[in-house]
Amino acid sequence: MWCSEEIVAHSSNVSSLVLGKASGRLLATGGEDCRVNIWAVSKPNCIMSLTGHTSPVECIQFNSSEERVVAGSQSGSLRLWDLEAAKILRTLMGHKASVCSLDFHPMGEYLASGSVDSNIKGHTQAVRCLAFSPDGKWLASASDDSTVKLWDLIAGKMITEFKSHTSAVNVVQFHPNEYLLASGSADRTVKLWDLEKFNMIGSSEGETGVVRSILFNPDGSCLYSGSENTLRVYGWEPDRCFDVVHVGWGKVSDLAISNNQMIAVSSSQNNVSWYVVDLNRVKKSGSVLQGLIQDKLIPAPTSALGTTLRRNYERPTTSCTGQDAKNRERRSPSSEDEKEDKESSAEITNPEDYKEIFQPRSAICEFYLHKIRLDHFYTCCFTCATVCIISFAFVSGSFHPFPLTSPSRPVVTTTKPKPSTGIILSTRNEPIGLNAGDFLSHALNAKASVMGDEEALAQIRKGHDTMCVMLTSRYKNLDTVRSVWASGDVKTSLDSAVSMNDLSIVVDVLNIINLKPSLWKLDLCTSILTQIEELLQSKYESYVQTGCISLKLILKRFWPLISDTLTAPPSVGVDITREERHRKCKACYKQLKNLSNVVKNRAEQVGRHGSTFKELQLLMAPLY
């Protein structure tokens, strides 16, 4: 273990710390100077400073993707910032006293906060920690009243209360996979609770101080406990301590894991220190260390990891992004809220680290859209009597060059153009609108009549002005979409492309999204399925191909969710998330039903297009 860095984090005392759990490399600090500062772990310079609170910041939390951060103040107000856009999203009022616990819902739509005013209702003293279950259905709360309460979010009521701690409970965490909950307390114990039988299955002894942080290993094999100057590694069923690591981190505030290294942070006055523990050198399994913990009379483990096999969480197959949460209006902001938002700011103090950490997704779009920006659509080079023509056909966001050279002057033939097949292929041996025979030598084309220079240039430039107008308009539209994408909002970017009533823009955006399937969300499906119907019936082969790829991704990723949601029995109580998901699934089903007829008709074609549509027809079989 080594101390990686010590920094002066605020101009006054540091009052709160939190690590981003997804990366383990992002740190947020709150101070009595009423600021929230964002740091990259192991780097000495602050990336961003968030202002707006008028009282000390008592609690901070990142969302799961580390794109948002929320901070609660001593006065009871909450402020939510978008780190990618570097701006305040919302100011929330409601608590009457200091906010001391926060957590984001796994699906990103909700935020839970606990306060010294004892809300969530049911606790008699300050709520010190909140944690959503991995499936988002339950919420655990820990309090200074020595209890841990478990809440059912769908039913809106408390499920059970755990009362075995004898002092304030500082931290709770759900096991990443199993129905298991851990809690750490000022009574110097870590306790484990079975969430199927709602009883305690283990309790540690031997902690040298107050338990301030606990963290399950990502694979769920063990539990780490952080107390003053000590890291312990626990197993359960039976209770045992695998290892004890003596550290110098003082009163540790938070733990995270990155690349098999444990990152820990602590503070003293206005200084913050972070520490690194190499987990490769820490025992995470094995026999009981004698003299530390006595085995309980509990059945022996049935798995290699030392845990009994119990029920696992069923995680949602879709999720809503932080942007969805930002766009969903749950209440109209008051004039006081708007005033407070205007007074809040996000000052970027380290542009290099900010761009590296918070704008990688924007860079993806910037890279691809940069490739399809247009300045010219053809170039003509004249050298003596030789003409080198490079004509570009813009197809699906890329240029296709067709160089044609001739050793003599251009000539034109009197042959009639070939009739159109009805489909404009995505790859061609010659450009549309130019006949290669027109530029062959007289010897190779005996029937041709020689053209003059002016006539040849007129033939080459035919349609040039129209193409320039079209490409200029397309460039402006793509630039508009790119500017929206830079905010990280894929849904709004796609909606803006659809609203332009230009299928070529939709194709360009879809080609980017199709390259990264994880960008697809249920919201995108509701926006794009109508456009896909048009693409599948287009005369451009490239449009049809893009439509087929998008439809295939949607069917594979979302059809199980749509089917299960629409056939599931009604839920008990009010479940806003489920109702919203049901509405979206119903809309998608209606659009897919319309598409199924298009796919069925196109599947009767022969050749490669027919094969592609036959594959889609199989995927859509449940709709027929």
Side-chain angles (χ1 to χ4, degrees):
M1 197 282 296
W2 63 93
C3 178
S4 177
E5 188 76 44
E6 181 173 337
I7 57 172
V8 177
H10 289 269
S11 58
S12 57
N13 288 343
V14 176
S15 50
S16 54
L17 296 171
V18 70
L19 287 162
K21 298 301 186 292
S23 67
R25 296 293 178 179
L26 204 59
L27 171 68
T29 63
E32 292 181 359
D33 58 5
C34 309
R35 286 177 173 262
V36 175
N37 292 334
I38 309 297
W39 312 79
V41 171
S42 79
K43 294 189 177 182
N45 299 318
C46 176
I47 300 173
M48 194 185 307
S49 187
L50 312 176
T51 61
H53 281 296
T54 56
S55 60
V57 177
E58 296 292 328
C59 186
I60 319 173
Q61 188 60 264
F62 288 106
N63 71 340
S64 58
S65 63
E66 299 177 4
E67 298 170 351
R68 309 279 189 269
V69 70
V70 63
S73 73
Q74 198 175 81
S75 65
S77 66
L78 297 172
R79 278 175 169 78
L80 177 66
W81 281 275
D82 184 324
L83 297 179
E84 284 190 327
K87 66 178 182 180
I88 183 77
L89 290 181
R90 200 64 183 271
T91 298
L92 303 171
M93 309 298 291
H95 289 294
K96 300 175 183 178
S98 177
V99 178
C100 47
S101 55
L102 294 163
D103 196 26
F104 281 92
H105 190 276
M107 292 181 67
E109 289 192 82
Y110 304 106
L111 172 71
S113 62
S115 169
V116 172
D117 63 14
S118 77
N119 288 336
I120 300 168
K121 298 296 184 183
H123 285 290
T124 59
Q125 295 183 44
V127 180
R128 290 296 172 187
C129 185
L130 294 168
F132 283 103
S133 61
D135 60 3
K137 295 179 180 179
W138 290 350
L139 177 70
S141 59
S143 172
D144 281 354
D145 62 14
S146 307
T147 67
V148 175
K149 294 181 185 290
L150 191 64
W151 307 84
D152 187 324
L153 298 178
I154 296 175
K157 63 180 182 180
M158 187 178 74
I159 300 173
T160 190
E161 181 179 17
F162 301 122
K163 298 181 177 179
S164 296
H165 283 294
T166 59
S167 190
V169 185
N170 295 321
V171 60
V172 286
Q173 192 184 41
F174 285 90
H175 189 282
N177 303 310
E178 300 178 12
Y179 272 44
L180 191 66
L181 181 72
S183 59
S185 169
D187 63 11
R188 302 185 180 186
T189 68
V190 174
K191 299 187 186 297
L192 290 137
W193 314 90
D194 188 304
L195 298 183
E196 289 184 289
K197 299 178 181 178
F198 301 116
N199 60 355
M200 187 175 71
I201 62 168
S203 179
S204 72
E205 296 175 9
E207 291 284 354
T208 56
V210 172
V211 179
R212 301 183 182 278
S213 299
I214 55 175
L215 182 67
F216 280 102
N217 199 61
D219 63 9
S221 60
C222 64
L223 177 72
Y224 302 101
S225 167
S227 58
E228 191 163 351
N229 295 328
T230 304
L231 170 68
R232 293 182 186 274
V233 188
Y234 291 117
W236 52 93
E237 296 176 317
D239 301 341
R240 57 220 188 274
C241 181
F242 294 136
D243 207 348
V244 178
V245 182
H246 296 287
V247 291
W249 56 35
K251 296 180 179 179
V252 63
S253 296
D254 200 15
L255 305 172
I257 293 176
S258 174
N259 298 324
N260 213 32
Q261 291 181 330
M262 173 167 286
I263 314 298
V265 287
S266 66
S267 63
S268 175
Q269 296 182 342
N270 63 343
N271 293 332
V272 169
S273 300
W274 45 70
Y275 302 80
V276 180
V277 178
D278 185 358
L279 295 182
N280 291 317
R281 303 175 63 180
V282 175
K283 293 180 182 178
K284 290 173 279 187
S285 62
S287 59
V288 178
L289 296 183
Q290 298 297 327
L292 291 174
I293 298 178
Q294 296 179 348
D295 286 348
K296 310 296 181 192
L297 297 177
I298 295 176
T302 58
S303 74
L305 295 178
T307 60
T308 56
L309 299 177
R310 55 173 56 82
R311 184 179 171 190
N312 285 357
Y313 297 105
E314 296 179 0
R315 286 175 170 80
T317 55
T318 185
S319 62
C320 298
T321 64
Q323 191 68 32
D324 297 330
K326 181 179 72 173
N327 289 335
R328 182 189 296 274
E329 287 294 332
R330 288 186 168 78
R331 65 179 179 89
S332 300
S334 64
S335 58
E336 184 180 349
D337 289 340
E338 291 176 348
K339 180 182 177 181
E340 288 175 340
D341 287 352
K342 289 178 182 178
E343 292 173 352
S344 302
S345 67
E347 178 189 357
I348 300 172
T349 57
N350 189 334
E352 282 189 21
D353 285 348
Y354 165 76
K355 187 173 182 180
E356 177 185 348
I357 294 172
F358 294 115
Q359 294 191 320
R361 278 168 291 277
S362 302
I364 292 174
C365 183
E366 180 72 26
F367 170 74
Y368 285 107
L369 290 184
H370 179 73
K371 290 172 63 178
I372 57 179
R373 289 182 176 180
L374 316 175
D375 292 315
H376 307 284
F377 83 100
Y378 72 70
T379 301
C380 296
C381 307
F382 291 85
T383 305
C384 300
T386 301
V387 179
C388 175
I389 306 168
I390 306 177
S391 176
F392 296 97
F394 188 68
V395 179
S396 298
S398 59
F399 277 119
H400 295 274
F402 303 95
L404 298 170
T405 58
S406 171
S408 62
R409 289 187 177 187
V411 294
V412 62
T413 66
T414 58
T415 57
K416 295 180 180 180
K418 296 179 181 179
S420 172
T421 60
I423 293 290
I424 299 177
L425 301 178
S426 58
T427 56
R428 296 176 291 277
N429 292 325
E430 59 183 31
I432 295 174
L434 290 177
N435 189 339
D438 294 346
F439 303 97
L440 295 176
S441 66
H442 185 72
L444 296 176
N445 195 351
K447 296 182 180 180
S449 59
V450 178
M451 296 175 60
D453 289 347
E454 291 299 323
E455 292 176 289
L457 287 174
Q459 178 72 4
I460 293 169
R461 290 173 177 169
K462 187 178 180 180
H464 172 77
D465 292 338
T466 301
M467 179 63 77
C468 281
V469 170
M470 183 192 75
L471 294 181
T472 300
S473 173
R474 189 167 180 180
Y475 170 82
K476 290 179 179 178
N477 287 339
L478 285 171
D479 201 43
T480 300
V481 175
R482 182 201 62 79
S483 64
V484 177
W485 188 295
S487 68
D489 189 347
V490 180
K491 171 74 163 55
T492 304
S493 300
L494 189 58
D495 286 344
S496 67
V498 171
S499 67
M500 291 170 182
N501 199 28
D502 184 347
L503 277 182
S504 64
I505 305 299
V506 175
V507 168
D508 291 333
V509 177
L510 279 179
N511 283 334
I512 295 169
I513 298 174
N514 289 341
L515 288 172
K516 191 173 182 182
S518 62
L519 292 175
W520 280 98
K521 305 294 179 187
L522 194 59
D523 280 341
L524 292 187
C525 301
T526 59
S527 298
I528 203 59
L529 280 171
T530 302
Q531 299 295 311
I532 289 177
E533 184 174 355
E534 293 187 44
L535 294 179
L536 297 185
Q537 300 178 86
S538 172
K539 66 179 180 180
Y540 297 104
E541 182 187 42
S542 60
Y543 288 16
V544 176
Q545 289 171 342
T546 298
C548 287
I549 292 171
S550 298
L551 181 56
K552 190 182 299 183
L553 285 170
I554 290 171
L555 290 169
K556 288 183 175 180
R557 292 177 65 87
F558 296 104
W559 174 248
L561 170 68
I562 294 170
S563 177
D564 292 346
T565 300
L566 296 181
T567 57
S571 62
V572 178
V574 178
D575 187 346
I576 298 175
T577 305
R578 185 184 184 281
E579 290 176 1
E580 181 68 12
R581 186 164 59 245
H582 187 277
R583 181 188 66 77
K584 294 173 185 176
C585 289
K586 188 175 180 180
C588 287
Y589 178 85
K590 183 178 180 180
Q591 293 170 328
L592 287 171
K593 189 70 176 174
N594 295 335
L595 270 172
S596 65
N597 295 324
V598 176
V599 171
K600 183 178 180 180
N601 293 334
R602 300 299 294 269
E604 297 174 358
Q605 296 178 347
V606 295
R608 61 178 177 175
H609 293 102
S611 300
T612 301
F613 280 102
K614 284 184 177 68
E615 183 182 353
L616 285 173
Q617 189 178 19
L618 290 174
L619 291 173
M620 303 183 81
L623 290 161
Y624 294 106

